[in-house]
């Protein structure tokens, strides 16, 4: 969906646009600033707004191995995915070798990981801004990695076409309507305000990353960590 469609939907909710109408480029740009700022605020609260994207990678400079890291300083320099929905390798003839996920324990228990063959299993570990893939075999040099993944939203332009992660488009459309209504001098409808809160609560319950802090050792009064 074009990001401009999400913006148009928000403007329809507050009555600025009629059904089928589209905002002007200037209105799209102004609303996009509000949208990007709103999403930045959600990210600071631990709610990462995401979208789905299929990405493909040729072998890294050092070649394929049983382990590859995607990140700002990884084997493959790119934004790391939040999570991986599916993954496969494609050979030069266009034949796809779908992989199934397995746990890091299962990967560790595999006695020998140096076999050169089409990988059939993978595991992903996230650390900081990077994600490390580990395969059950070493891919052939000519193979191409394809992943369907959830990517963190970064500032876009209104004409960008993205597939919002499940539930996010609706939530963002209603939340944006709440923020745009005062700018257009519009009285926000009660049903729009209620649904905006409902959709945000629903998204947070499924996607919020808990903010975890380590317990100060000085507060611990027993080996089990009780404190008062």
């Amino acid at each position: 969906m074009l990001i401009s469609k999400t913006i148009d939907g928000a403007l329809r909710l507050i009555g600025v646009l009629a059904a089928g109408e589209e905002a002007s480029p200037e209105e799209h740009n102004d609303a996009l600033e509000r949208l990007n700022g709103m999403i930045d605020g959600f990210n600071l609260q631990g709610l990462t707004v995401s979208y789905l994207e299929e990405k493909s990678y040729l072998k890294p400079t050092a070649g394929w191995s049983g382990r590859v890291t995607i990140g700002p300083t990884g084997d493959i320099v790119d934004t790391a995915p939040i999570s991986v929905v599916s993954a496969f390798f494609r050979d030069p003839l266009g034949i796809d070798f779908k992989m199934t996920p397995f746990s890091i324990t299962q990967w560790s228990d595999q006695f020998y990981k140096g076999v050169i063959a089409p990988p059939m299993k993978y595991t992903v570990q996230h650390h900081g801004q990077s994600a490390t893939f580990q395969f059950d075999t070493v891919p052939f040099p000519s193979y191409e990695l394809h992943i369907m993944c959830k990517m963190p939203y970064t500032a876009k332009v209104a004409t960008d076409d993205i597939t919002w992660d499940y539930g996010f488009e609706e939530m963002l459309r209603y939340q944006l309507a709440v923020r745009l209504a005062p700018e257009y001098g519009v009285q926000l409808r009660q049903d729009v305000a209620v649904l905006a809160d409902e959709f945000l609560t629903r998204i947070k319950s499924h996607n919020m990353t808990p903010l975890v802090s380590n317990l100060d050792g000085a507060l611990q009064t027993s080996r089990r960590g009780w404190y008062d």
Side-chain angles (χ1 to χ4, degrees), residues 1-211:
M1 171 181 283
L2 297 176
I3 294 178
S4 60
K5 297 297 184 183
T6 299
I7 293 171
D8 290 342
L11 292 174
R12 291 190 190 100
L13 287 173
I14 61 176
V16 172
L17 295 180
E21 283 188 325
E22 297 181 356
S24 67
E26 293 76 15
E27 288 175 315
H28 280 154
N29 290 336
D30 288 344
L32 183 61
E33 287 185 15
R34 307 297 176 273
L35 178 66
N36 288 335
M38 182 176 71
I39 291 175
D40 285 343
F42 289 147
N43 290 337
L44 290 174
Q45 297 172 34
L47 174 61
T48 301
V49 177
S50 58
Y51 62 96
L52 297 174
E53 183 177 4
E54 182 176 353
K55 301 178 78 70
S56 60
Y57 301 105
L58 299 173
K59 68 178 179 64
T61 302
W64 290 120
S65 67
R67 178 198 307 255
V68 63
T69 296
I70 300 175
T73 59
D75 305 303
I76 297 174
V77 178
D78 194 9
T79 301
I82 297 172
S83 63
V84 177
V85 178
S86 61
F88 64 89
F89 272 96
R90 176 170 292 167
D91 75 5
L93 297 177
I95 298 174
D96 296 339
F97 297 89
K98 183 178 180 180
M99 295 182 286
T100 57
F102 68 153
S103 69
I104 188 64
T105 300
Q106 291 173 311
W107 179 84
S108 298
D109 288 343
Q110 186 173 312
F111 177 71
Y112 182 64
K113 306 177 181 69
V115 175
I116 300 176
M120 303 304 291
K121 296 180 180 180
Y122 74 98
T123 183
V124 184
Q125 289 184 294
H126 297 270
H127 36 90
Q129 296 182 323
S130 299
T132 297
F133 286 73
Q134 295 171 117
F135 310 114
D136 59 336
T137 62
V138 177
F140 290 106
S142 58
Y143 278 25
E144 186 176 70
L145 174 63
H146 289 251
I147 59 174
M148 176 61 72
C149 55
K150 296 183 180 184
M151 297 294 294
Y153 176 90
T154 54
K156 306 288 185 182
V157 297
T159 53
D160 280 342
D161 190 359
I162 66 175
T163 302
W164 294 107
D165 196 0
Y166 179 76
F168 273 103
E169 195 280 332
E170 193 169 42
M171 182 275 286
L172 292 171
R173 179 161 34 96
Y174 274 79
Q175 285 291 319
L176 184 59
V178 172
R179 287 159 173 77
L180 290 178
E183 297 188 22
Y184 282 90
V186 174
Q187 180 67 38
L188 186 68
R189 297 199 327 255
Q190 182 64 24
D191 62 319
V192 173
V194 170
L195 287 172
D197 287 341
E198 179 182 320
F199 293 144
L200 179 58
T201 299
R202 189 182 303 169
I203 285 290
K204 283 184 175 180
S205 68
H206 290 284
N207 298 276
M208 200 81 168
T209 301
L211 300 178

